[in-house]
Amino acid sequence: MGGLALVASIASAREASAFCRSTSCRSTSSKECERDDNGCPAEGATLYWPTSCIAYATNELGTINLDPADTRRIIRKTFQAWSDVDCKGGGTASMTFQEMDPIPCKKSQFNKDGPNVNVVLFQDNDWKYRGIDGTLAKTSVTYNDETGEIYDADIEVNTAFNEVTITNNPAEVEYDLQAILTHEVGHFIGLAHSDQPTAVMYESYTPGSTSQRTLTDDDVAAVCSAYPPNSRVACNPEPRGGFSPTCDAPASGGGCSTASAGRSVDSAPILTLSGLAILVAASVSRKAVRVRRAR
Ligand SMILES: [Zn+2]
C-alpha cells in the first residue's frame, strides 16, 4: 500500500508542474535558453500582463471562408475559456478580456511611441513565417526584457495554407479554429507549451480534433499560477500608449515610427517575440493535402 501511495504522489506532482510560463529568454542558433527539470524556460523574466483585464479586437476582414459574425463568436469563446477560471484552491484567476469592435488594423506590431491594439487577424493570402506546411497560427508578444511585463500581443492565423473550420460535427472538422485560438490565447497571456499531450497548451494540434477547445486541469493550473485569485491587480484594458484601431504609425515623433521590431534604445529593452507560439499540425494528413488542392 505504501508503495502505491508513493507512486501516486509522484505522478500527481509531475502533473501539477507540467505547464510552463514564457520568459524573456530567446534561444538563438548559438545558444539555447536553459530549461528546468520540467522542461520549462529557466532563464529570463517571467512574462505577465500588468492588468487583470485585456482588451482585444479582431480585424474587420475576418477570413474569407467564414461568416464574420461567426468568426467573432468563436474568437470570443476562446478568450472566454481563459476568463474567470475557477482555481483548484478556490477563487477565480484574475484575468478577463474585453472585446472591442472590429478594426481595420491588419498587422502584428507594437508602436513603441504611439497607440496600440491587441489584434486577432487572419492571413488569407500569404504566410510569411517559416514552417509554412504545418504552422497554423502565431502569437507575437511584446514585452519588457528586464521585467517580463507584456506590452502588446497579436495573434495571426494561417488561413493561407490551412482550412479552418468552426463546425461541431466531428466528421467535418478540418483545423478547428476554436481549438487553435484557445491555444494561442494561452500564449497571448504569457504561457509557454506544456508537455501534457491533452493540454490546450501542448505544442501540437491533431487535424480534425476539437479537444483543445477546453482547458484541462494543467491549463487551469497555469492561468491560476500566472494570475492568482485575489491578486489585487487593477483592470486597465487600455493598450500601452493608448488605443488605435489602425496600424498607422504615430503622426508625430519625426517620422521614425517602425520601431516595433528589434531593440529599443531604452534602458529596458522592448523586444518583439517571434515564433513563441506556433501550433503545429501533428502530422501531414490527407485532409491537409485536400485543402491545398482546393485552393
Ligand atoms: Zn504554441
Side-chain angles (χ1 to χ4, degrees), residues 54-170:
I54 308 168
Y56 72 93
T58 56
N59 170 255
E60 63 192 6
L61 297 175
T63 179
I64 194 161
N65 289 325
L66 297 178
D67 175 77
D70 286 343
T71 304
R72 284 202 302 280
R73 179 174 54 81
I74 297 300
I75 291 171
R76 193 174 304 134
K77 284 185 179 183
T78 69
F79 281 95
Q80 283 171 346
W82 294 99
S83 301
D84 289 327
V85 172
D86 288 328
C87 298
K88 264 225 164 93
T92 56
S94 303
M95 180 52 71
T96 60
F97 302 90
Q98 296 184 8
E99 180 188 3
M100 306 169 85
D101 289 337
I103 55 170
C105 173
K106 194 186 173 190
K107 204 196 281 182
S108 175
Q109 70 164 28
F110 176 68
N111 280 319
K112 185 170 72 72
D113 301 314
N116 286 286
V117 61
N118 303 310
V119 64
V120 180
L121 62 91
F122 294 83
Q123 298 288 11
D124 281 350
N125 301 317
D126 189 23
W127 186 253
K128 64 184 178 182
Y129 307 106
R130 291 198 300 167
I132 215 161
D133 290 329
T135 307
L136 300 177
K138 176 177 182 296
T139 302
S140 297
V141 178
T142 305
Y143 54 85
N144 181 307
D145 200 36
E146 290 182 350
T147 64
E149 179 182 341
I150 297 175
Y151 292 162
D152 180 88
D154 302 306
I155 298 175
E156 298 169 83
V157 184
N158 176 1
T159 36
F161 290 88
N162 303 289
E163 183 177 339
V164 295
T165 55
I166 59 173
T167 179
N168 290 320
N169 181 346

Side-chain angles (χ1 to χ4, degrees), residues 15-73:
E15 200 173 317
S17 56
F19 69 84
C20 296
R21 302 271 303 273
S22 298
T23 76
S24 59
C25 184
R26 293 160 310 284
S27 293
T28 63
S29 52
S30 56
K31 182 181 174 294
E32 279 277 309
C33 293
E34 273 183 40
R35 294 189 170 265
D36 64 19
D37 292 345
N38 294 309
C40 294
E43 275 183 83
T46 303
L47 303 195
Y48 72 97
W49 282 92
T51 168
S52 61
C53 65
I54 308 168
Y56 72 93
T58 56
N59 170 255
E60 63 192 6
L61 297 175
T63 179
I64 194 161
N65 289 325
L66 297 178
D67 175 77
D70 286 343
T71 304
R72 284 202 302 280
R73 179 174 54 81

Side-chain angles (χ1 to χ4, degrees), residues 183-184 187 193 201-203 276-279:
H183 177 97
E184 296 305 320
H187 288 310
H193 288 146
M201 292 315 295
Y202 189 61
E203 65 185 354
L276 164 73
I278 295 170
L279 184 58

Side-chain angles (χ1 to χ4, degrees), residues 183-211:
H183 177 97
E184 296 305 320
V185 174
H187 288 310
F188 184 101
I189 62 172
L191 304 183
H193 288 146
S194 167
D195 64 2
Q196 287 214 349
T198 57
V200 166
M201 292 315 295
Y202 189 61
E203 65 185 354
S204 65
Y205 170 79
T206 303
S209 167
T210 59
S211 65

